[in-house]
Amino acid sequence: MAGDTNLRAGGCHCGAVRFEVTLSDGFDSIRRCTCSYCRMRGAVVAMAEMGGIRILQGEEALTSYRFHTGAAQHFFCSRCGIYTHHQRRSNTNLFAVNVACLEGVSPFDFPEVPVMDGINHTNDTGKPTRRAGTLRFIPADEPPPDGSRAAGLPPEG
């Protein structure tokens, strides 16, 4: 595992679920989604091919949730409730993995995260997946490039 940066260890918050994942494109595939479920969940995900996730422990603790068409299967730990990964609807041969569950990785490690339009899902519209926008993270000790504050946030203190 040490030589392959795409091979990562991960798990849920309570440690009941442990897994190993081979990311298809490393972190080049990170994204968020605007569908009703992803919008509420708020996770940043990276992609893994079918067979790219290997559950090392706690498979019995994983539970799943499906909605709308039922094609996407979202997995989370039944003990701590943390979403670990899901099988994608647009390509059921791909899994999206919650980067916050990967050892040594935080969703705040990425200054920009593409946000995909899941409200107008490609399987519903027949059109290519559309990028809805970009989520940006600017650490508090780094002022925004234009010197402005984040819109709508009250002053600190």
Side-chain angles (χ1 to χ4, degrees):
M1 189 154 91
D4 185 352
T5 58
N6 289 342
L7 185 60
R8 300 286 180 144
C12 66
H13 187 262
C14 71
V17 177
R18 299 290 308 152
F19 62 88
E20 186 174 83
V21 62
T22 302
L23 300 176
S24 306
D25 299 313
F27 293 115
D28 292 340
S29 63
I30 62 163
R31 63 184 60 191
R32 288 205 34 195
C33 173
T34 63
C35 82
S36 60
Y37 190 63
C38 291
R39 187 172 60 242
M40 293 177 106
R41 180 178 59 211
V44 173
V45 298
M47 301 307 129
E49 302 278 334
M50 177 71 77
I53 298 176
R54 190 167 64 109
I55 305 299
L56 303 174
Q57 101 182 17
E59 190 165 3
E60 72 286 349
L62 279 175
T63 191
S64 69
Y65 175 68
R66 294 177 189 242
F67 70 102
H68 190 44
T69 66
Q73 188 172 8
H74 303 263
F75 295 93
F76 56 97
C77 176
S78 62
R79 296 181 190 160
C80 65
I82 294 298
Y83 152 73
T84 55
H85 65 289
H86 75 273
Q87 185 174 20
R88 294 188 53 198
R89 176 180 174 212
S90 57
N91 180 348
T92 55
N93 289 318
L94 283 178
F95 285 85
V97 179
N98 181 354
V99 300
C101 290
L102 302 177
E103 289 179 4
V105 181
S106 166
F108 305 111
D109 292 340
F110 308 100
E112 293 190 347
V113 177
V115 179
M116 309 316 285
D117 182 3
I119 295 170
N120 300 296
H121 196 280
T122 186
N123 288 11
D124 297 332
T125 65
K127 296 178 181 175
T129 302
R130 185 182 82 80
R131 186 168 171 163
T134 303
L135 185 67
R136 290 190 172 89
F137 177 71
I138 301 168
D141 57 350
E142 291 180 31
D146 64 1
S148 67
R149 287 191 340 90
L153 294 179
E156 290 185 32

